[in-house]
Amino acid sequence: MRVRRRRRGGSAAVFERDAEFEFQVAPMADLLFVLLVFFMSVSSVDALRRQKPVVLPAAAQQAARAGAAHEAVVTLDARGNCTGEGRALAGADDVRAWLRARREGDAALRVVLRADKACPYKAVAEVMKLCAAARIPEVTFAVRAGK
């Protein structure tokens, strides 16, 4: 916005305001760049958090993954420790509560169980029982291709 000073008849000063506004593009571009970097870093951290390093068992045949829209990923490490999409679940009660909360939010939920090859079967069976108790009808196992 500019202010012009004009003199009219003598020493009296009159100020006029022009209605010209300028839009600054550079600060908006900076803001968009910062937001882009922020969301890219958050999404990559989320992806890393979901993928715990486990050695999956091999399978001769495997089906293609349907889609991640209605999935809850449960990971069991070699010692039987359980995480649900990056969140540590300390016991059966935590797993049950987490599964029920996920099931309430999504009626078509299915569980993808990523169990380490060295994980005790007792831990896998316990998670499967908890899925049944939470009324989750579909539990699939993540495997790696091979024999």
Side-chain angles (χ1 to χ4, degrees):
M1 187 160 98
R2 289 187 306 181
V3 177
R4 270 193 307 185
R5 184 175 177 202
R6 291 172 130 191
R7 288 189 165 199
R8 289 190 188 167
S11 64
V14 177
F15 292 96
E16 277 184 15
R17 292 184 180 202
D18 290 340
E20 292 182 28
F21 293 100
E22 293 180 11
F23 184 72
Q24 298 293 325
V25 178
M28 292 299 290
D30 290 344
L31 179 65
L32 288 176
F33 180 70
V34 168
L35 287 174
L36 177 70
V37 169
F38 172 76
F39 285 117
M40 286 174 52
S41 64
V42 168
S43 65
S44 64
V45 167
D46 187 45
L48 290 174
R49 185 175 38 165
R50 288 179 184 227
Q51 300 300 324
K52 284 232 175 227
V54 294
V55 179
L56 297 175
Q61 295 179 351
Q62 63 183 18
R65 189 172 168 188
H70 301 283
E71 284 183 355
V73 180
V74 176
T75 304
L76 292 169
D77 65 8
R79 290 186 274 151
N81 297 326
C82 185
T83 58
E85 295 180 345
R87 178 181 164 217
L89 303 171
D93 292 333
D94 279 354
V95 175
R96 184 180 300 113
W98 183 78
L99 287 171
R100 285 188 177 156
R102 289 295 312 267
R103 175 76 171 140
E104 288 176 7
D106 188 1
L109 182 71
R110 73 180 189 134
V111 170
V112 177
L113 186 56
R114 297 179 66 239
D116 193 286
K117 186 176 170 180
C119 178
Y121 177 73
K122 182 179 179 181
V124 175
E126 182 68 27
V127 171
M128 291 172 60
K129 286 179 189 175
L130 293 171
C131 289
R135 299 204 181 276
I136 297 173
E138 187 176 352
V139 178
T140 58
F141 294 92
V143 294
R144 62 181 168 86
K147 291 187 177 191

